[in-house]
């Protein structure tokens, strides 16, 4: 067992599950989406991106691209949340919350692609 692969797989799956946990719920309801879960998803996604920097293979490049997309979407969701809660006159209304959840949905799709790539990479490793 390779400890580096275990840590890499752990963070890829944790990023996807945290993102999924935030995404689930009514799209316009702020009570069903925790801000702390969004922040945890951002932090774990950034750690996952750093872990992907060392892989120089083609599949590693796609892994990094998916992680960068997830980071961008989650950071945008966080910016929308902070702006709507602290700057906007209308506050955190249903429209802002649906934008935040939609952005996290895009990040979830990128994280799912990363998980699929991880599974494909693992299956192909056993065939060598």
């Amino acid at each position: 067992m390779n400890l580096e692969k275990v840590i890499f797989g752990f963070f890829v799956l944790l990023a996807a599950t945290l993102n999924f946990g935030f995404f689930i719920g009514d799209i316009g309801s702020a009570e069903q989406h925790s801000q702390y879960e969004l922040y945890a998803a951002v932090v774990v996604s950034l750690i996952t991106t750093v872990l992907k920097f060392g892989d120089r293979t083609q599949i590693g490049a796609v892994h990094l691209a998916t992680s960068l997309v997830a980071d961008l979407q989650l950071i945008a969701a966080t910016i929308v949340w902070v702006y709507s809660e602290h700057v906007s006159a209308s506050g955190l209304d249903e429209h802002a919350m649906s934008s935040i959840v939609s952005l996290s949905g895009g990040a979830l799709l990128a994280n799912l692609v990363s998980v699929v790539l991880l599974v494909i990479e693992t299956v192909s490793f056993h065939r060598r």
Side-chain angles (χ1 to χ4, degrees):
M1 180 173 54
N2 186 343
L3 183 61
E4 182 181 331
K5 296 283 185 190
V6 171
I7 292 172
F8 180 74
F10 170 78
F11 275 102
V12 168
L13 289 174
L14 185 61
T17 55
L18 282 172
N19 197 345
F20 182 75
F22 177 79
F23 181 75
I24 290 296
D26 183 21
I27 193 167
S29 173
E31 292 82 25
Q32 296 184 7
H33 304 280
S34 169
Q35 62 185 349
Y36 302 114
E37 196 165 8
L38 177 61
Y39 296 143
V42 170
V43 169
V44 171
S45 185
L46 289 172
I47 291 170
T48 305
T49 301
V50 170
L51 290 175
K52 291 176 180 176
F53 276 130
D55 192 355
R56 298 196 181 272
T57 63
Q58 179 62 33
I59 202 163
V62 178
H63 265 295
L64 181 60
T66 59
S67 192
L68 289 172
V69 168
D71 292 345
L72 183 66
Q73 299 249 344
L74 288 173
I75 290 171
T78 304
I79 290 170
V80 170
W81 191 310
V82 169
Y83 176 81
S84 62
E85 194 163 297
H86 298 289
V87 178
S88 175
S90 60
L92 187 61
D93 58 358
E94 189 171 317
H95 175 71
M97 198 64 216
S98 63
S99 296
I100 293 165
V101 174
S102 295
L103 285 166
S104 77
L108 177 62
L109 181 62
N111 280 328
L112 289 177
V113 170
S114 188
V115 169
V116 168
L117 289 174
L118 181 65
V119 170
I120 289 171
E121 189 176 12
T122 303
V123 169
S124 68
F125 180 75
H126 288 291
R127 291 185 179 177
R128 291 181 198 164

